[in-house]
Amino acid sequence: MLTREGCPKTMLSIKDALEALEGRWKLLILFSLHSGPKRFKQISKEVGGITDKMLSKELKALEANKLVKRETHDTFPPAVEYSITAHGMSLEKVLDELHYWGLAHRKEVIGK
């Protein structure tokens, strides 16, 4: 896994990753977009409990980190669609591992 030799660089890379994915919602939004492009309200429905204001903020942050792409279609009214980028798709293994860890954690803590 991680060695002590590269500690400062390792710490920096982990810090960068945590800053890009920090918070309660970003990974859930990415998981929602994993199945294909979606409009704002579709994401909002899939990521239960998130406010529109928070979703907007998180999508902007994900876009700034090149994990999500925002595309505006020239229709009336204008349609905006969000999709996960190739860079965002590179988190697939992380999401899988987090899923499995979450299952094991739930079993350890709750016993189910």
Side-chain angles (χ1 to χ4, degrees), residues 33-51:
L33 291 173
H34 191 267
S35 60
K38 292 188 173 70
R39 295 184 66 175
F40 187 90
K41 284 296 180 187
Q42 290 174 293
I43 301 167
S44 181
K45 285 179 186 175
E46 286 187 14
V47 181
I50 191 170
T51 64

Side-chain angles (χ1 to χ4, degrees), residues 8-93:
K9 284 185 179 181
T10 302
M11 192 71 77
L12 181 60
S13 64
I14 291 173
K15 181 181 176 201
D16 289 346
L18 288 174
E19 285 178 3
L21 300 171
E22 72 181 330
R24 179 178 177 184
W25 304 109
K26 287 183 183 83
L27 289 173
L28 295 173
I29 293 166
L30 290 171
F31 182 74
S32 170
L33 291 173
H34 191 267
S35 60
K38 292 188 173 70
R39 295 184 66 175
F40 187 90
K41 284 296 180 187
Q42 290 174 293
I43 301 167
S44 181
K45 285 179 186 175
E46 286 187 14
V47 181
I50 191 170
T51 64
D52 286 353
K53 182 178 178 180
M54 180 58 74
L55 178 56
S56 178
K57 177 181 171 260
E58 297 291 56
L59 284 167
K60 285 177 186 173
L62 288 166
E63 189 178 5
N65 281 294
K66 300 182 180 184
L67 299 170
V68 166
K69 178 183 173 190
R70 180 183 191 270
E71 190 173 356
T72 305
H73 299 283
D74 192 21
T75 59
F76 185 80
V80 177
E81 230 177 26
Y82 295 90
S83 58
I84 192 167
T85 64
H87 185 51
M89 289 294 284
S90 69
L91 289 164
E92 185 173 24
K93 289 180 184 176

